[in-house]
């Protein structure tokens, strides 16, 4: 285990291959370099929660259904959605209530690397605060998903359901956050379409916040990153989770 952990710490770029756990509390994501392909991501580990994050440089991207030019400052975004393993560490550290579907208050081992679900916007915000991060704004999330040139999906303009976990795929449940390698965004970010809807920082009306990305319960067309959805901040469902972003200041070593 020590060898694996050391390898995970030294590899800044690579492929997610699993999670190590101790005393039933998942602890580390293991990153392993891919020898036969070049990753599109520029990855670093966040000093707060240790999650792998992809770098998105500052600049203009084409946003929304009309492809309007929008400037976004530099940021990092979680390469994968927040997993049950990540959320278990947060709950253990803060005594935050665990998701209601966890058996006897513990996440089943076979779901460690699946996205956490049954979390409200407030739960997601609490995790982000604990980790020293933020929830993404709509503009940050969309740029990380589409890149700069206005592509329809993270992988391009093709309507290819096999590149993500949506209704047409037929899985009918969450999957490992690293499963769909061919569906990554131009910045190397996974699951920006399908698997679970993701809470954003951007409000729509008082008490309601944007969701993007669609889920295993949704048809592919609902996952177009330019198309927003929203929900009440107290809503929790089996197809809704989140991921976080960090500004350059939030990427500094943690003082916790």
């Amino acid at each position: 285990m020590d060898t694996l952990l050391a390898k995970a710490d030294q590899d800044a770029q690579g492929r997610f291959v699993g999670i190590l756990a101790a005393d039933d509390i998942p602890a580390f994501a293991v990153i392993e370099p891919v020898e036969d392909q070049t990753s599109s991501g520029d990855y670093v580990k966040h000093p707060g929660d240790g999650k792998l994050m992809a770098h998105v440089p500052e600049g203009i991207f084409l946003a929304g259904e009309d492809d309007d030019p929008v400037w976004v400052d530099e940021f990092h975004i979680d390469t994968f959605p927040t997993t049950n393993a990540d959320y278990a560490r947060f709950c253990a550290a803060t005594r935050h209530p665990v998701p209601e579907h966890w058996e006897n208050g513990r996440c089943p081992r076979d779901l460690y690397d699946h996205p956490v679900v049954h979390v409200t916007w407030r739960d997601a915000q609490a995790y982000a605060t604990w980790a020293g991060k933020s929830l993404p704004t709509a503009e940050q999330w969309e740029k990380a998903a589409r890149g700069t040139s206005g592509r329809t999906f993270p992988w391009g303009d093709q309507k290819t359901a096999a590149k993500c976990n949506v209704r047409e795929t037929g899985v009918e449940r969450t999957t490992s956050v690293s499963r769909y390698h061919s569906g990554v965004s131009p910045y190397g970010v996974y699951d920006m379409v399908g698997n679970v809807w993701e809470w954003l920082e951007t409000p729509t009306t008082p008490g309601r916040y944007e969701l993007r990305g669609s889920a295993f319960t949704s048809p592919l067309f609902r996952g177009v990153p330019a198309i927003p959805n929203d929900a009440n901040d107290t809503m929790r469902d089996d197809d809704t989770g989140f991921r976080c972003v960090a500004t350059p200041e939030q990427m500094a070593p943690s003082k916790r």
Side-chain angles (χ1 to χ4, degrees), residues 86-99:
D86 301 321
Y87 203 75
R89 291 180 57 229
F90 158 66
C91 292
T94 64
R95 299 185 181 274
H96 192 87
V98 302

Side-chain angles (χ1 to χ4, degrees), residues 33-82:
V34 181
E35 297 179 358
D36 59 348
Q37 65 184 44
T38 301
S39 169
S40 59
D42 178 10
Y43 300 129
V44 295
K45 293 179 74 173
H46 188 267
D49 60 2
K51 280 180 66 64
L52 201 68
M53 302 192 82
H55 179 246
V56 180
E58 68 177 15
I60 291 173
F61 82 106
L62 300 182
E65 296 180 76
D66 295 328
D67 287 341
D68 297 318
V70 173
W71 175 274
V72 176
D73 290 335
E74 172 190 15
F75 66 97
H76 284 79
I77 188 167
D78 289 338
T79 304
F80 308 106
T82 303

Side-chain angles (χ1 to χ4, degrees), residues 137-252:
T137 65
E139 291 79 12
Q140 288 174 326
W141 192 96
E142 187 180 340
K143 182 175 182 179
R146 300 179 69 191
T148 60
S149 59
R151 58 175 61 190
T152 304
F153 295 101
W155 56 84
D157 295 324
Q158 306 84 5
K159 298 178 180 179
T160 312
K163 293 181 180 290
C164 55
N165 182 13
V166 289
R167 185 186 298 170
E168 293 92 329
T169 312
V171 178
E172 299 183 348
R173 59 171 295 189
T174 60
T175 51
S176 167
V177 296
S178 65
R179 175 168 174 170
Y180 291 95
H181 302 294
S182 64
V184 298
S185 83
Y187 299 105
V189 185
Y190 282 64
D191 275 358
M192 297 301 271
V193 172
N195 219 356
V196 294
W197 288 100
E198 298 185 11
W199 286 113
L200 302 185
E201 179 70 26
T202 303
T204 54
T205 58
R208 295 183 69 87
Y209 290 86
E210 279 202 28
L211 297 162
R212 298 254 181 147
S214 80
F216 68 92
T217 54
S218 309
L220 177 63
F221 77 86
R222 294 289 285 124
V224 172
I227 300 177
N229 189 10
D230 74 342
N232 190 283
D233 62 5
T234 59
M235 187 274 291
R236 58 169 57 91
D237 210 339
D238 65 352
D239 66 354
T240 304
F242 68 98
R243 77 179 75 214
C244 299
V245 296
T247 63
E249 292 75 20
Q250 290 172 321
M251 292 300 296

Side-chain angles (χ1 to χ4, degrees), residues 109-139:
R109 284 183 175 271
D110 63 343
L111 297 180
Y112 277 178
D113 63 347
H114 287 222
V116 66
V117 294
H118 288 291
V119 288
T120 67
W121 181 89
R122 299 176 186 182
D123 292 328
Q125 182 71 11
Y127 177 97
T129 299
W130 168 78
K133 299 179 177 180
S134 305
L135 295 181
T137 65
E139 291 79 12

